[in-house]
Each structure stands twice: as structure tokens, then as C-alpha cells.
Amino acid sequence: MEEMARDYINYARQLSSNGCFNKSFDLYIMAFEKNPESKNLYEQEFQTVLLRFNDVLAAAGKVEDIFTNFGRAIKTFPDNIYLLNEIGKYLFKFGYYEESWCHFQKALKADSGFVNAEKNINSVKNLLVERWHYRMLNCKVRNESYRRAIHETIRPIKDSVIDIGTGTGLLALYAHECKPMVITACDASEVMTSIAKHVAQDLGIMDMVIINKMSTSMDYKDIGGKRSVLITEMFDAGLFGEHVLQTLTHGWEYLLNAAGRVMPSKAEFFVAGANCERLNLKFQLGEAAKILLNIPMLNIHILAYDETYDCEDVHFFRDLKYLTAPQSLIKVDFNDYDDIQDKLHRSEPFIVDLNVIEDGEINTMVGWFNLYLTENITITTNPMSRARSNAWQQAVFFDFLPTPMKKNETYTAQFLMNTGKLTMMADCNKTVERISQEALRFLNDTELMKMITGCIGMACVYLGQIIEIDKTTIADLCPFPLFGMQMLKRGAQSLLCYAKTYEDEVFINKVFIANDLDMAKVTILVGEEWTQDSFKDEKFHAIICNIFELCGEIDLKQKEVAHQLKNSHLVSGGLFMPFNITLIGQLVDSHWLDINNRVYDENTHKYKISEYMNKYQVSQNFCIDISNLDYNPITDVVSLGEYTTDLGSEVINVPVVNDGEANAILCWYKIELMEHLGEISTNRSNAYIDCMAFLAYPKVAMKRGNIANVLRCVDPDGSFKLMIDVDTP
């Protein structure tokens, strides 16, 4: 039996090397059946064949065959956490989210340090319940205002109510307190309507109908008659971005009776011109970068696709200065059907004249709104108001050109209603060019640009010891090839570089031509061309790579490519950058992180929503600007390991410097491009990548002078997570 099993394995290997994965897979199974003891020897290579076979099936759309294979594999290896994780990934890919969660959870239960399984669970949770639900449910200003307004609006016994976009059903619960004739609540999310139903059932409320449908797919027959009151809160930072005008149009036509009322009754959107260099550098290429690239006259904006504004908590930006007085841009009466239609279908721009109150350059336009729930109750998101609701952020319009202004001048801004969403009109007399967010943020990181340009001289000295500079070959796989560009200026023979988008490729060409560089020396990989097979047998004397995603996470695909380049494509004695990457962290207590990840029932008028919503809390947050984060430090900033070495799982002792309860480990990096040339931290304003937070719940009580234990868990592919040891004294 043992010899026969070995023959099966050898034949399976031959078949897989020729791409016959289906037969190879069957032979492995047969070998394991003949000789079960061989499973431990060949488990890893069997798993590789299975995954490659399933990739072929996925490309052919044979979903059932994929899960049949996984079933056979799990029967053979019931405790293989990697197979459980892979099954979950395929289930997720094909839309079976709850099922994928179960498989990820099984893998994590078998090994609590399995990083990929936990990250995958977080992805499922983020998809099923968007994070903004948490800050909204925890906003007392929003909740209490809506509750008072609902009580003021609904007439007991007389009114019938529909709540559109009900979410967890909180507003419908407030309406139920008023004892209307009937309440119907609807939401497009299956998860949210399920939560709303569970909350209502726990309260013994049986007369509230909750429907998992978009309101625009229903008419009065679907809800048992037209309603007298429509409640909604379908608003984003730009007021109209959740298609509230289209929703209310349908509501008036198909769901409300002739004497119906909408609550909120009205809304008003305001704008103000401001100057904020930190915000500006998120959306437009800064002057320092343009001078460095020798393109001072070009206007380079972010490639934003269909996004017309960004959402930010602008009160966190300490360098923001308002240069104009606020001005009302649009006011809409939700109880006037004709007014809604006028705003929704208007082809002419909304024009606002802003009075400039201080000399300066307007490089940011901030927008916010008032919701007039009733005549007596208003909610505002005005960032200058202490009474604002923090359930919403502010809209930051970025797709326009900065304008220098003098005090007492008038700045005229124009906006269009584009498919129900506000868009700021750009100056048609000025040309705007686009690059990806990755390239723009990379180039606007002035400290990183100084470090790269500052290492060019030393790089030439280093390389000059092994080859003449005009013979050097360079690979620069950063979001923009600044190092490669500078080396070409020094006479390098060739450059291979990377462009994330076609627009980035056009931009690289334009910049290189502006610097009189010979494009015949340049090869640009575009989009998905950057793979391990892209480099063939090429050798490079200097290689610089970026292995980070903008959110602050390690890009495992780019990390693997960088590893392959260093080991297989760098000439002996060549230069590889970065030289070192150090993981940095700090234990903190952050209320902001808490309320954006957990619901507290005291914020929802004691309705017990937390039991169901907190099932979807995640263990990691990305895209964090620590300079904008409100937190109390529990420990000093410490090194948590060097990522460029074999970073493994480890317990790290961290001294506690302040009494408190830690609920997160803030995490970022220090990057050393070349040895002995200094480090740069990513924990800075306008750094090209953000920071992360690994979250802890329940909070861990800590006392000054004690030692906190941080568990660093690392998978074989290099992905990692950090956890606070719950046994920390």
C-alpha cells in the first residue's frame, strides 16, 4: 500500500506540473486513502494543487465543482485551518457571506493566532454592516432630536407611518412610542432588517412590519395602503448622496397619501471657502512636488472616478482656516413635491457668492447641512457649532482649482445636481490632469521625497563600487518612480517602473519628458502587469519597492514580489530599498475608536440594539490619521519588531506609563531606505500611508509601572495582527 501510494504521489506531481490539476487532485486523494500516514508528508503540496485546480474552475465558472473539491479535501484533512480559510474565501467571493464567516470562525477557533482568518472575518463584517452605522447610533444629538421630532409629528391612533432606510429600526421604535395606527419600516440590507426584527421581537412589538426591500421597489399595495407620515434619514455628508431626492419622489408618488407629511420637513446645505493645506494635499499635487518634478504649471488632481466630494471630520484639521463666511447653497422642502423635482432635475447650476473675510488662497470648499426635522427642532452638522451632530462628517469638495483671494472680494462657486448628488463645477478655462490616489499621496509626502532624493548621492557611491553608473539597471516599483527618475538623471542605463493606472503611465511619461529623459530607457508596467512573472531573467543593480497599501496594511502580493526581486533579480552586491521596516506601536484608550466599533444602549434611549450590532464589531481599523485621533496614551511608543527580518509570533513586554484602560494598539512603521541614512515614520500628517489600530474588547485595565504584554501573531505569508494579553497585570 505504501509503495502504491508513493507511485500515485509521483504521478500526481507530474500531472500538476503539466497543468492537469483535476487528475492530480484525484491521485492525491487516492494516495491518502491507500496510505493515511502519507497525509502529513504531502499535505502542503496537495493543498497547493487544490488551490490551483480551484482557480481553473473559478475561471470557468464551475462553482459547484469548487465546493465539491473542498468537501473532499476537508474530509481528508478535517483540522486543516488553511483549507477552512480558503473555503471561506470562495464562499465570500461568490456572495455567501454568512457561510464564509462560519468557515473563517472555525479556522480561528482552531487557532486564535490565525491572522488571515481574522482579517477575513473583519472583511465580512465590514461588508455586512458599514462602520458609519456605529457612529450614527452612538450620536445622542441625532437620536434625541429625531425622537422629539417624531413625537411632535405623529398623531396617536390617527397617523400611519413608513420609515424608509430603517437600519436597526431605531426611528421606527421611536414612532411606535406614539401609538400610530400602523408602522412599516423598510431597508435594502438583509442584515439590518434582521437586526431590526430581532430588536422589535425582544421588545414584544408585533405590530411593526419590517420589510427587506428598497422603498423604490414598492408601492402602497405592498405596504397595505398609503401612509400619512414618511420618516427617513437617508443623508450622507453631502446631504443628497444617498439619493434622498429620488427616494422622496417615489415616496410622494406611490407611498404617501395626499395629506401626507415627510419628516424631516426641510433641509438646507451650506458651503464655505477655506484654506487647509493638509486637506488640499489629499486631492491635489502640492507645489513642492511639482517643483521637484519640474512641472510647476500643471494642475494635477486625484483620479476620483465618480466621487465628487470626500467626507471628513473637518474640525479635526487644526490648520483649517475659513476664508469666507458660510452661505446657504440649497434649501429644499421635502413636503413640496414640486420643489423636490426642481432640485433633482435642475440643469442650471446652483450659484453662491461667498464674501471673503481674510486674504488667502481658497483651496478647500467645506459643505454641511441643517435638517429641519420640525419647525422647532433642527439638527446641524456645522463643524463650527458645538451643538452639531457627529453622526455625519462634512463634505469636502476637492475637484476645483485653488483661487487666491483678497479680503472683501466675492468668490463665486457653482454646483450642479449630478444624478441627485452635488458636484462642484471646475474652471473650464484651466486644464486638469489626473493621477491615482497612490501616486498623488506618495508625491505629496514631502519628508519621504526628501529622503529619497537625499539618498541618491550615497546610492551612486554604493553602486559605483560594483559598476559604472551608465551601466546600472534600476527597478523602481513605488507609486511614482522618483528614485528611478533621479538615477536616470545621473546617467543610469535603464529603468523599469510601475504605474497603477493608465493615467499614471501618461503622467510618468509627461514628467520624464519635461526632465529631458530618454523614454527608450524606460519600461513601464501598468496595472496588473506587476506580478512575479513580470521580470523574466532580468537583473537589476538597484531595486526600490513599496509594500504598503494606503490604508496602512501590508500589501502581501507586493511584499511577495519584492521578496522575489531581492532574491532572484538583484545582482550580487546590489542595492535593495528599503533597507529596513520597523513596526511601531502604542497602547491607548480612544473613545473615538470605541464608538465607531460598538453600540452603547445608553445612546439609543435604552433600546437594546447593542446585542445584535456588536456581533459585527471588528478587531482592526484602517485609514487612521493619528494626528486627528482623540486618545489617551497608556504606554510609550515602542518597537514591535523589524518587518524586513523574519518577523514571527512573539510576546512583547511594554512598560505601562499611565493608569487607564487600553482598548487599542495604534500601529505604524518606521522606514529606513538605506543603512545609516536615517528613518522616516508613517505617523505623520500627509504621510503617504495611514496608520492602523488593533482593537481590544473588553478594555484591559492597566496600572502605571506594570508591564503590558502584546501578542504579535504572524502567518507564514507575513500578515500580522497585534493583541493585548488579557492576563496583563
Side-chain angles (χ1 to χ4, degrees):
M1 290 294 185
E2 184 177 341
E3 185 177 346
M4 185 179 292
R6 196 160 44 242
D7 289 341
Y8 284 156
I9 294 293
N10 289 332
Y11 190 24
R13 287 172 170 172
Q14 293 176 26
L15 289 169
S16 65
S17 66
N18 293 322
C20 298
F21 301 118
N22 57 338
K23 294 181 180 179
S24 176
F25 174 77
D26 288 337
L27 283 168
Y28 274 107
I29 296 289
M30 291 168 61
F32 298 147
E33 290 172 348
K34 293 291 183 184
N35 181 19
E37 294 180 359
S38 66
K39 291 194 294 185
N40 291 334
L41 292 173
Y42 304 111
E43 181 176 1
Q44 184 59 52
E45 61 184 74
F46 166 72
Q47 183 177 312
T48 300
V49 169
L50 169 63
L51 297 182
R52 296 183 71 180
F53 183 21
N54 282 341
D55 285 344
V56 173
L57 293 172
K62 298 181 178 179
V63 180
E64 291 184 6
D65 291 346
I66 291 173
F67 294 116
T68 298
N69 289 345
F70 274 128
R72 295 174 66 191
I74 285 294
K75 186 177 180 180
T76 306
F77 297 99
D79 299 322
N80 187 310
I81 60 173
Y82 298 102
L83 287 178
L84 287 169
N85 189 56
E86 289 299 325
I87 294 172
K89 287 165 65 175
Y90 272 98
L91 287 165
F92 182 84
K93 178 179 180 180
F94 292 112
Y96 301 105
Y97 303 122
E98 296 286 351
E99 294 89 342
S100 70
W101 185 345
C102 289
H103 282 79
F104 296 141
Q105 192 64 54
K106 287 179 184 177
L108 198 59
K109 186 176 181 180
D111 181 358
S112 62
F114 190 7
V115 178
N116 268 286
E118 184 163 324
K119 289 181 181 292
N120 287 332
I121 288 175
N122 286 338
S123 296
V124 175
K125 291 177 178 179
N126 280 321
L127 179 73
L128 293 178
V129 177
E130 294 179 280
R131 297 299 100 183
W132 54 262
H133 283 288
Y134 290 90
R135 67 181 288 160
M136 193 157 283
L137 287 166
N138 281 319
C139 180
K140 280 190 174 182
V141 171
R142 171 257 194 189
N143 296 342
E144 292 176 0
S145 297
Y146 257 95
R147 183 169 181 267
R148 287 191 294 116
I150 287 170
H151 277 254
E152 186 177 305
T153 300
I154 295 176
R155 299 168 299 180
I157 311 301
K158 295 182 179 180
D159 278 321
S160 56
V161 179
I162 182 166
D163 175 16
I164 293 178
T166 192
T168 61
L170 183 60
L171 301 189
L173 292 172
Y174 292 158
H176 187 268
E177 296 171 356
C178 303
K179 296 180 172 55
M181 288 189 295
V182 64
I183 303 176
T184 302
C186 65
D187 198 286
S189 165
E190 183 178 350
V191 170
M192 299 311 294
T193 49
S194 175
I195 291 173
K197 288 177 181 178
H198 279 103
V199 172
Q201 288 169 5
D202 288 351
L203 292 166
I205 297 174
M206 308 306 293
D207 56 346
M208 188 165 77
V209 179
I210 301 170
I211 303 174
N212 176 213
K213 280 186 178 181
M214 293 182 66
S215 67
T216 50
S217 68
M218 303 187 298
D219 63 21
Y220 69 93
K221 297 176 185 177
D222 297 302
I223 61 174
K226 292 192 173 184
R227 298 290 186 256
S228 62
V229 176
L230 185 157
I231 300 169
T232 192
E233 196 220 39
M234 292 182 58
F235 308 105
D236 73 332
L239 184 59
F240 304 107
E242 295 294 326
H243 307 297
V244 67
L245 295 180
Q246 294 93 324
T247 298
L248 291 179
T249 293
H250 180 272
W252 275 111
E253 292 174 350
Y254 297 102
L255 303 174
L256 276 172
N257 61 37
R261 294 107 67 207
V262 174
M263 201 284 293
S265 62
K266 299 176 183 177
E268 189 170 13
F269 193 75
F270 300 84
V271 292
N275 180 277
C276 182
E277 189 62 13
R278 286 179 58 195
L279 278 175
N280 186 51
L281 291 178
K282 294 182 71 172
F283 311 117
Q284 301 183 40
L285 195 64
E287 293 303 316
K290 290 195 284 188
I291 291 171
L292 176 64
L293 300 178
N294 192 33
I295 51 168
M297 301 306 294
L298 294 183
N299 298 297
I300 312 298
H301 288 208
I302 194 171
L303 182 62
Y305 301 103
D306 62 344
E307 295 298 323
T308 63
Y309 50 83
D310 192 28
C311 303
E312 298 282 354
D313 290 298
V314 301
H315 56 279
F316 285 142
F317 290 83
R318 297 178 181 86
D319 69 328
L320 186 141
K321 180 185 293 185
Y322 291 98
L323 298 183
T324 77
Q327 188 71 31
S328 173
L329 178 70
I330 303 173
K331 190 170 185 178
V332 56
D333 186 344
F334 294 145
N335 285 290
D336 185 336
Y337 177 83
D338 291 335
D339 193 30
I340 294 171
Q341 296 309 295
D342 175 67
K343 302 301 189 298
L344 179 60
H345 300 295
R346 177 173 172 145
S347 58
E348 295 298 313
F350 297 93
I351 300 174
V352 61
D353 292 324
L354 299 167
N355 298 320
V356 178
I357 57 177
E358 185 175 337
D359 292 356
E361 182 182 74
I362 297 176
N363 61 16
T364 295
M365 188 66 66
V366 179
W368 63 88
F369 60 80
N370 286 353
L371 291 180
Y372 303 109
L373 302 182
T374 67
E375 289 187 5
N376 305 311
I377 302 171
T378 300
I379 293 177
T380 185
T381 63
N382 184 347
M384 293 174 277
S385 170
R386 292 185 178 181
R388 69 176 176 272
S389 165
N390 288 316
W392 298 271
Q393 297 175 295
Q394 288 75 43
V396 176
F397 293 89
F398 52 81
D399 201 13
F400 72 102
L401 300 178
T403 304
M405 300 297 296
K406 294 290 186 181
K407 184 178 179 179
N408 296 326
E409 288 184 340
T410 298
Y411 180 78
T412 301
Q414 301 185 61
F415 295 79
L416 288 174
M417 188 68 75
N418 184 9
T419 63
K421 189 173 184 177
L422 281 174
T423 303
M424 187 171 184
M425 294 179 63
D427 188 337
C428 60
N429 296 317
K430 297 180 181 178
T431 302
V432 173
E433 301 185 36
R434 308 284 180 182
I435 58 176
S436 69
Q437 185 180 18
E438 287 80 1
L440 186 137
R441 286 191 57 176
F442 184 80
L443 288 168
N444 275 342
D445 188 335
T446 53
E447 291 189 37
L448 179 62
M449 295 303 100
K450 288 177 183 177
M451 173 171 275
I452 292 174
T453 54
C455 77
I456 297 297
M458 185 62 71
C460 289
V461 171
Y462 181 93
L463 294 172
Q465 298 176 46
I466 60 173
I467 194 171
E468 297 293 329
I469 292 299
D470 62 358
K471 300 291 193 300
T472 57
T473 54
I474 312 296
D476 186 338
L477 299 179
C478 292
F480 181 89
L482 180 65
F483 176 82
M485 172 180 148
Q486 297 294 339
M487 291 301 294
L488 285 179
K489 285 185 173 183
R490 295 289 185 108
Q493 176 179 301
S494 67
L495 167 66
L496 182 141
C497 59
Y498 167 72
K500 180 178 175 63
T501 65
Y502 166 75
E503 288 79 5
D504 287 352
E505 180 187 22
V506 171
F507 179 66
I508 291 170
N509 276 279
K510 184 162 290 190
V511 171
F512 280 22
I513 291 171
N515 285 273
D516 298 321
L517 296 176
D518 183 359
M519 294 307 297
K521 294 182 175 183
V522 182
T523 300
I524 305 176
L525 303 176
V526 182
E528 297 303 317
E529 291 181 39
W530 180 4
T531 67
Q532 295 185 36
D533 299 325
S534 299
F535 311 100
K536 301 177 182 178
D537 297 324
E538 294 181 72
K539 294 287 185 178
F540 302 99
H541 298 95
I543 299 172
I544 180 170
C545 292
N546 169 60
I547 64 169
F548 300 107
E549 298 182 43
L550 288 180
C551 66
E553 183 69 287
I554 297 292
D555 187 316
L556 296 178
K557 177 184 173 183
Q558 294 185 30
K559 170 187 169 293
E560 184 58 32
V561 172
H563 179 76
Q564 186 208 26
L565 281 170
K566 184 177 182 180
N567 291 334
S568 304
H569 297 272
L570 186 66
V571 300
S572 179
L575 176 64
F576 185 86
M577 296 182 288
F579 172 75
N580 190 38
I581 296 171
T582 305
L583 184 63
I584 305 295
Q586 182 179 29
L587 275 66
V588 303
D589 179 15
S590 171
H591 178 66
W592 187 92
L593 289 172
D594 202 28
I595 64 171
N596 280 272
N597 194 48
R598 288 186 60 78
V599 172
Y600 289 89
D601 291 332
E602 59 264 29
N603 295 325
T604 59
H605 205 68
K606 305 299 183 180
Y607 283 115
K608 297 187 182 303
I609 295 172
S610 62
E611 177 183 350
Y612 301 102
M613 279 294 291
N614 292 346
K615 172 186 175 183
Y616 297 91
Q617 67 181 3
V618 295
S619 61
Q620 188 175 0
N621 274 8
F622 300 100
C623 302
I624 294 173
D625 182 348
I626 297 180
S627 63
N628 280 347
L629 183 67
D630 184 22
Y631 67 90
N632 297 316
I634 304 296
T635 71
D636 283 334
V637 172
V638 296
S639 170
L640 297 175
E642 294 187 354
Y643 197 82
T644 39
T645 60
D646 291 329
L647 190 71
S649 297
E650 185 182 353
V651 178
I652 303 163
N653 298 323
V654 182
V656 178
V657 297
N658 292 309
D659 294 345
E661 293 183 311
N663 72 339
I665 307 170
L666 297 181
C667 179
W668 61 95
Y669 308 93
K670 282 188 177 178
I671 302 170
E672 187 179 10
L673 278 183
M674 291 183 66
E675 191 175 11
H676 307 310
L677 281 187
E679 297 176 317
I680 188 170
S681 170
T682 60
N683 179 10
R684 297 174 286 107
S685 299
N686 295 118
Y688 80 107
I689 64 170
D690 294 317
C691 301
M692 300 183 294
F694 294 89
L695 308 172
Y697 187 81
K699 294 184 178 182
V700 182
M702 296 189 175
K703 193 171 183 62
R704 181 179 180 181
N706 285 349
I707 299 296
N709 295 324
V710 174
L711 307 181
R712 187 185 67 214
C713 302
V714 185
D715 280 356
D717 62 6
S719 55
F720 68 91
K721 68 177 181 180
L722 304 172
M723 297 188 294
I724 304 174
D725 190 344
V726 295
D727 295 326
T728 295

